[in-house]
Amino acid sequence: MTASTRLTIRQTAAGRLGGLTTGTATSNGTGPVSTMTDATNLLDSGDSNFNLVGEWIMFNTGLNANDEKRLSSFVGSSGAVAVGNPWDSNIVIGDPYEIHAHLAPSQWNICIDAALRRCTRRREESVTIVTNQNQYSLAALTDLTTDKQIIEI
């Protein structure tokens, strides 16, 4: 079973809304740098150069991990994007990134955290009957700490 992380949940949700582009940098950049090139996933001579402007980019790992920026320009013929406020650190070939159209990655994370807070876990456990009483012993279930965690069925 694959683990669900913020990254996988964020990318799955954004992808289903049609607002996600992912890839890796195909050129190095020495910080501070305001451009990144992906000549594989962003290369498209048919795209408008305004296609990605205003969307959010964030690197997933590397020196610029989790530093989200807004795209200020896009050149489809070269696969280059630029941000108005440069990254402080070097961009290295292979650094994975994600570009979001609808929400900034930090806004996605807020939504994910709020949804997870509303989720509850439920499990069924066997309990020991206390002889000659209408009670159960929950001593073996040490993770139950409040009455609100117990539901009678």
Side-chain angles (χ1 to χ4, degrees), residues 54-65:
E55 296 186 10
W56 294 92
I57 185 170
M58 182 180 78
F59 286 97
N60 297 319
T61 61
L63 297 173
N64 295 300

Side-chain angles (χ1 to χ4, degrees), residues 77-91:
S77 61
S78 67
V81 293
V83 295
N85 185 17
W87 288 283
D88 293 330
S89 300
N90 298 346
I91 294 173

Side-chain angles (χ1 to χ4, degrees), residues 4-28:
S4 293
T5 63
R6 264 193 186 165
L7 182 135
T8 59
I9 294 169
R10 181 177 62 238
Q11 289 185 353
T12 300
R16 288 184 180 171
L17 291 175
L20 176 70
T21 303
T22 61
T24 58
T26 59
S27 66
N28 291 323

Side-chain angles (χ1 to χ4, degrees), residues 35-53:
T35 60
M36 188 275 304
T37 301
D38 180 353
T40 304
N41 297 297
L42 296 179
L43 190 63
D44 188 347
S45 59
D47 264 349
S48 164
N49 285 343
F50 297 103
N51 189 38
L52 300 175
V53 173

